[in-house]
Every structure is written in structure tokens, then in C-alpha cells.
Amino acid sequence: MDSAMVVYPAHYINGQWRKAQAAETLPVHDSSTEEVMATVPAGTAAEAGDAVLAATQAFEAWSGLPVETRAGYLDKIAAGIKARTEDLALAIAREVGMPLKMARAVQVGGPAWHWANFAKVARNFEWEKKVGNSVVVREAVGVVGCITPWNFPLSQITLKIAPAMAAGCTVVLKPSEIAPVNAMILAEIIHDAGVPAGVFNLVNGTGPVVGEVLGTHPQVDMVSFTGSTGAGKRVSELASQSVKRVTLELGGKSASVILDDANFEAAVKGTVSACMLNSGQTCSAHTRMLVPASRYEEVRALAQAAVARFSIGPSLDEASKLGPLVSAAQRDRVLNFIRIGIAEGADVIAGGPDTPATGKGYFVQPTVLGIKASDTLAQEEIFGPVLVVIPYRDEEDAVTIANNTIYGLGGAVWSASDEHAVKVARRIRTGQIDINGGPFNGSAPFGGYKQSGNGRENGIYGFEEFLEFKAMQFKPSAG
Ligand code: NAD
């Protein structure tokens, strides 16, 4: 065990760090060294209940504040995140495994931008509107339970609690038990920003204990969940008993469709990068590359060249382009999928199941497998650095394959003409599609069709998820 291990003894409830009731702790592993880098307390159902009570009591005053006051707190939190970039980036690089330089930009820079952007969205929002003899006002949903995963932990937390707080909601956060350190730092930042007690609460713990309290508690009005499709279904079932609003951001198996007229070098390189980001642990990663069958050999060579750029190494090493996976369990799950692919006859274009010679760390080689559309790996979300290449006969076949999964989160289309790409993109049933390598846009709606979920995050789209409508009718004035 590392001597620099940090013990977090408390949860953040009602504006205070409250010492945990139970002695049980949850270890957090540095994914590059396998050492325990921190522990957080395993929260109890009673602690989750206390946090909900605090959020309930804080709701009326917080939702009644002028928008400008709430937006001001969000700006302070954005500034606090920027000021603690190094602490946060280091924590995430270690607990998740993303190389530090990238973690700074993506895992911390992104959230800081979103906090400030949600302040702007709230300030510019049309809070009420006259419709005939009614005035329609928008009001906060109430107490929101936020349950988040580990892969982009601070982003996923931010995309829930920042718009919720801007809207006037109060929140109880249960961060991922696998990567909770960044959330503890964020709680310190929120505390230092002077946010009133009870508006933001954080209870660490497991899904079945703390998460399920948020799904069932009668005082929770809404659950915002990001994670696996299985856990999302469970939370929905629980929440349906008290008719809570539920938004779900779930898994994906996104297709990058390379059309015959595309620039193949750019398309293959772009797809490999979009797959390998965060060692493939990205819900919207482009994990299926659909290519014309007649061009398979050319794609094979281009994919090998693109993968060769991803040098594996510890997340704190500046030279690393691909860090480890988050945990031993995740590594083993991914290796198992690679073996299944090979057993079903995959063409191993790059990588494979052999563990790279890094000594410690949950590493998996960047792997590219040529498979058939009917194979297991064409359907299962692997959540690791594994790209599958699936040949298609013609455009019709490509669209059919792209749509043939239970998911509908992201995707890409590559073509010599944007117009041609858009024609195909319109037929793909997913919430996002990148045309010829278009970059991520934090103001555009992010979310899934089908079993990838039912909510939207980012900008005004994510903000409106936390609002109700209230219509007040007036007697039309005489004359
Ligand atoms: P997970 O479902 O195991 O856990 C997510 C969160 O849910 C954790 O906080 C966990 O403790 C909690 N949880 C688990 N069981 C629960 C239960 N019964 N009741 C309440 N809460 C429960 O997912 P993960 O392994 O942390 O994350 C990886 C998954 O998240 C992948 O499937 C990925 O695609 C998905 N994801 C989706 C998006 C998106 O925006 N669509 C973003 C990131 C990750």
C-alpha cells in the first residue's frame, strides 16, 4: 500500500463534512500502479436519507433565489475548478488512468467550461412566457438524486449537478465508488464557494446501498443516472414506484461508417482515435468501423499504422498516449471479449489478448479485430481499447449494420462530400453523429436513442431536463 494514501473519513451532508457512520471503506486503486491511493467511506442507507432530508429542506430557499445569485455560485465553482486543475487532473489520471496531459484538458478543462456555460444558460433562459390567457413558468423539478460512473467522472457529475443547481434544484450525488476522489475535491470547491447548506450533498457508497435509496426515496423528485444499461434499467424500475422523473445516459456501440468516396487515411485515423480515447472507456466511442468490403485490405494497413501511434504507459508518464484501464475487473472483462472475438474467427489486425510488458497496471494493448456483422463483438459494449472492423457490401448494408444494435448513442460518417455523409447520417438512429471528423460540441445535445438512454445533457438541452412547466391562467380582461 502506498504511504501517500489519502483516507477520506466523511460524507458531505448539509454543508458539512460528516464523519461516516460505518467503519467499512471502499478502496480506490491507482490504475497504473495497482496501489490503493485512497479510501472513501461506504455510505449507509441512513446517511443517504439524511442527505435527501438536507436537500429537501434547502430546496425552497435555493429555488427562490434570483437566477443571478445561483449563476454567481456556478461561476465561483468554475473558477474553483480551474484553480485546482492540477489536483483534479492528478486524481483522475491516477484513479481512471487517462494520461495526465489529456486529463487536464478533457477531464478538468471540460467540466470548468460547463459550469460557467450553465451559468450563462440560466441567465439567458426564458423563464416565463405568455401563451393565450396563460403565463407558463418554468420551475425547478425539486430534489435530484445524481448517480454517476467512473470513466469521465467529473464531467458526468458536472453535467448533472451544474444544470440542476442552476435550475434551482438541490442535489444528492452518489459518485462512482471506483473513481470518487475527484468528487471529494469538487465537494471542497463547492463548500469553498459558499453554496448554502443542503443545496449540494455527497454520499459515497455502492449502487445497491446508496444508489437505491436515491432511486426509491419519496422525497427525491428526479433521478439523473449515467452508467451501464443494466443498472439504468434497475434505477428506472425503482423510481417508477414513486413516479420520479428519470433521465438515463447509458451504454453505446457506435459505428463509424466510412463511405466509398471518403478520405480513407483521415477516416481510419479519426476512427481509431475516437475509439481509443480514455483507453476505449467512453460511452460514445466509435467502436465499430464499417468499411466497404472491397477496401478491407487497405483499411487493415491504415488501422495498423494508426494504432502504432498509441504508445502504452503509466498515466503520469508524459510519453504515454494510452493509459491503463480503470480496474483489474475491467481489464479482465475486456481481455475476455478479445478472446471471444478470436474464438469466433476474428482477424487480429493489431494488438490481442497478451498483456503488454508494463509490469504493474491494468493495461490492455490497443486492439483492432476484423469481424463479421453477426459476431458477438458486433453487439457487446466492450469498454476498452478494442475496435472492430466490419465489412459492408453497399450503403444500404452499411446503414442496416450501423442500426443493428440495442444502442443509439453516437457515430460518425465519412465521405468526400458533407451532403453525402448527412444523407447517410440521417438514417442512423443515434443521438449524435460526427460528420467527417467534426469535433465535440459542449452546447449540442448529448444522449441516446434506444437503450442508450432517454435524456439529453449539455447546454440548454441538459438544463431543461431539470425544469417543470407550470401554467397559470388569467381571466381575459374585458374589452
Ligand atoms: P455502472 O452502471 O456499474 O455504475 C454507474 C453508477 O451506478 C455507479 O455510481 C454505481 O455505483 C451505480 N449503481 C450500480 N448499481 C446500482 C443500483 N442498483 N442502483 C443505483 N445505482 C447503481 O457503470 P460504470 O461501470 O460505472 O460505467 C460504465 C458504463 O457507463 C458503461 O456502460 C458506459 O457506456 C456508461 N456510460 C454512459 C454515458 C452516457 O452518457 N451515455 C457516459 C459514461 C458512461
Side-chain angles (χ1 to χ4, degrees):
M1 195 180 289
D2 185 355
S3 55
M5 189 187 86
V6 182
V7 175
Y8 289 98
H11 306 288
Y12 187 73
I13 299 173
N14 205 20
Q16 292 174 350
W17 288 102
R18 190 179 303 172
K19 193 172 177 336
Q21 290 169 346
E24 193 194 338
T25 60
L26 303 166
V28 184
H29 294 267
D30 179 322
S31 33
S32 298
T33 64
E34 305 183 21
E35 284 165 353
V36 176
M37 59 179 270
T39 66
V40 293
T44 62
E47 286 164 328
D50 288 350
V52 173
L53 183 67
T56 307
Q57 287 169 346
F59 176 70
E60 192 168 352
W62 179 252
S63 58
L65 285 175
V67 176
E68 180 51 44
T69 310
R70 289 200 303 268
Y73 283 116
L74 267 73
D75 282 335
K76 272 195 190 167
I77 296 166
I81 291 173
K82 277 191 195 148
R84 293 195 65 184
T85 295
E86 278 315 296
D87 292 348
L88 285 161
L90 199 61
I92 296 172
R94 294 183 68 197
E95 60 189 342
V96 177
M98 181 183 269
L100 182 60
K101 197 167 154 198
M102 211 180 298
R104 239 178 241 131
V106 178
Q107 300 263 17
V108 186
W113 183 87
H114 280 293
W115 277 95
N117 191 51
F118 282 119
K120 276 191 212 141
V121 168
R123 285 186 178 108
N124 298 330
F125 191 65
E126 187 179 23
W127 288 89
E128 58 179 69
K129 189 174 172 182
K130 206 163 174 320
V131 180
N133 68 316
S134 304
V135 172
V136 178
V137 297
R138 306 301 301 273
E139 294 182 344
V141 169
V143 173
V144 184
C146 302
I147 303 174
T148 53
W150 46 261
N151 53 333
F152 289 85
L154 190 62
S155 292
Q156 286 140 348
I157 291 168
T158 294
L159 292 172
K160 299 180 183 327
I161 66 175
M165 284 168 56
C169 297
T170 54
V171 302
V172 178
L173 167 67
K174 192 211 82 65
S176 164
E177 59 274 42
I178 296 167
V181 175
N182 64 90
M184 300 303 267
I185 299 172
L186 178 67
E188 291 166 8
I189 293 168
I190 292 176
H191 183 81
D192 291 345
V195 171
V199 171
F200 166 80
N201 305 272
L202 184 161
V203 181
N204 285 292
T206 63
V209 178
V210 176
E212 297 211 359
V213 171
L214 300 182
T216 50
H217 200 293
Q219 308 282 9
V220 172
D221 299 287
M222 169 174 174
V223 182
S224 177
F225 175 90
T226 299
S228 60
T229 297
K233 285 178 184 167
R234 170 78 181 149
V235 167
S236 287
E237 275 167 24
L238 294 173
S240 71
Q241 297 308 307
S242 48
V243 199
K244 297 186 196 318
R245 182 182 294 190
V246 178
T247 55
L248 301 172
E249 300 292 341
L250 309 175
K253 187 74 187 173
S254 302
S256 174
V257 180
I258 303 182
L259 299 176
D260 206 21
D261 61 356
N263 172 339
F264 271 47
E265 202 176 330
V268 172
K269 201 170 157 194
T271 305
V272 168
S273 296
C275 176
M276 299 299 165
L277 176 71
N278 206 22
S279 295
Q281 302 166 119
T282 305
C283 50
S284 56
H286 300 163
T287 53
R288 294 182 294 152
M289 183 157 73
L290 274 45
V291 304
S294 58
R295 311 278 296 269
Y296 182 78
E297 286 307 320
E298 183 185 344
V299 166
R300 212 177 174 281
L302 288 170
Q304 282 167 342
V307 166
R309 296 183 310 127
F310 285 89
S311 45
I312 295 186
S315 59
L316 302 189
D317 185 336
E318 287 287 331
S320 305
K321 291 271 185 301
L322 196 79
L325 299 193
V326 74
S327 64
Q330 189 66 16
R331 174 197 57 201
D332 295 346
R333 189 171 173 271
V334 170
L335 290 178
N336 191 42
F337 274 125
I338 295 176
R339 290 192 189 101
I340 289 173
I342 292 172
E344 288 183 2
D347 168 23
V348 182
I349 297 172
D354 296 336
T355 313
T358 49
K360 293 269 183 198
Y362 310 124
F363 291 94
V364 172
Q365 294 185 68
T367 296
V368 183
L369 302 173
I371 65 165
K372 301 181 292 304
S374 55
D375 287 349
T376 305
L377 266 50
Q379 299 296 325
E380 296 282 345
E381 184 186 45
I382 300 173
F383 231 55
V386 183
L387 174 68
V388 297
V389 181
I390 306 176
Y392 66 79
R393 283 189 313 275
D394 52 26
E395 230 163 85
E396 202 55 36
D397 193 31
V399 171
T400 304
I401 297 170
N403 283 329
N404 186 27
T405 76
I406 59 167
Y407 298 113
L409 192 54
V413 182
W414 300 84
S415 162
S417 100
D418 281 358
E419 203 188 338
H420 184 193
V422 167
K423 218 172 118 202
V424 174
R426 285 188 187 279
R427 299 182 62 195
I428 298 178
R429 293 186 41 78
T430 64
Q432 289 233 331
I433 301 213
D434 303 338
I435 305 295
N436 285 319
F440 188 75
N441 174 0
S443 296
F446 181 89
Y449 284 27
K450 302 194 277 182
Q451 292 192 33
S452 286
N454 58 12
R456 288 296 180 272
E457 293 191 322
N458 283 356
I460 194 169
Y461 307 94
F463 177 72
E464 290 198 80
E465 298 280 4
F466 297 94
L467 293 172
E468 290 280 13
F469 289 100
K470 179 182 280 171
M472 290 185 280
Q473 288 60 247
F474 294 82
K475 264 191 184 171
S477 51

